[in-house]
Amino acid sequence: MSHTFLMQSGRWMLDGNWLERNGMPIPVKGRTLVAWNQDNWFTMVTKLIFPGSERGEITFQYRGHLDGGERQYTFVLQHSEFGRVEGEGWIAPESIVQRYWVLGDRQRRSGFETLHRMDVNKYYHSSGIMAGHSLISTMEATYERQID
């Protein structure tokens, strides 16, 4: 079974929890749209909202490239809170792992994400954001593919 998240165009719904240092878990919901072109370039747009919370929404706009036949890719990202971000990803047999770093950031913020395939239409997402050596937030959620 090959990956459907990121590796194929599609729409995904996210549902889970966000946790910030010294805070209680906050419910998070989101949507992701993935699109590919013929030259192995992808775009991915994600919007996270926090229902019933004062936490503002977060948007991510990715543009990345996967070399043909490779299992690694690079991307740039416009993050609504961090600005310009660069990163890399690896395609493993059962998961997709990404790491990224905020460009020109005095706080040296960076992050990681793991998307573990549960089945062809569902992935488990686990991520964290760091400032220097300290973990400042995490998210765990499930992504489900929206079938037309």
Side-chain angles (χ1 to χ4, degrees):
M1 175 177 22
S2 63
H3 286 289
T4 52
F5 188 85
L6 182 63
M7 303 312 297
Q8 297 178 14
S9 294
R11 292 180 301 143
W12 295 79
M13 299 292 288
L14 175 138
D15 187 20
N17 289 289
W18 180 275
L19 184 60
E20 293 182 348
R21 181 176 292 282
N22 301 322
M24 295 298 295
I26 302 169
V28 60
K29 294 192 179 297
R31 291 189 173 163
T32 297
L33 176 64
V34 179
W36 281 85
N37 72 21
Q38 294 91 344
D39 298 324
N40 291 330
W41 284 92
F42 67 88
T43 57
M44 182 168 61
V45 177
T46 298
K47 180 178 183 177
L48 301 179
I49 60 169
F50 303 88
S53 162
E54 294 183 18
R55 176 88 171 77
E57 69 183 35
I58 303 172
T59 58
F60 308 80
Q61 296 178 344
Y62 292 80
R63 178 162 167 76
H65 185 262
L66 176 70
D67 289 326
E70 295 293 322
R71 301 192 70 74
Q72 297 160 357
Y73 59 93
T74 58
F75 62 88
V76 293
L77 162 61
Q78 186 63 39
H79 190 287
S80 62
E81 293 184 348
F82 300 156
R84 288 185 34 88
V85 174
E86 287 186 358
E88 65 176 338
W90 286 19
I91 310 298
E94 297 296 324
S95 62
I96 299 170
V97 179
Q98 294 187 157
R99 73 178 277 275
Y100 59 86
W101 49 95
V102 180
L103 298 176
D105 187 43
R106 289 187 178 276
Q107 296 179 49
R108 298 185 350 230
R109 287 175 292 189
S110 63
F112 62 90
E113 299 179 349
T114 300
L115 292 130
H116 179 76
R117 181 179 54 218
M118 297 170 73
D119 66 41
V120 70
N121 295 316
K122 192 171 188 176
Y123 280 75
Y124 179 77
H125 172 106
S126 178
S127 63
I129 301 172
M130 299 178 67
H133 298 292
S134 299
L135 191 61
I136 58 174
S137 69
T138 64
M139 182 173 71
E140 56 184 14
T142 54
Y143 268 107
E144 291 199 47
R145 183 161 61 165
Q146 303 300 289
I147 312 253
D148 294 326

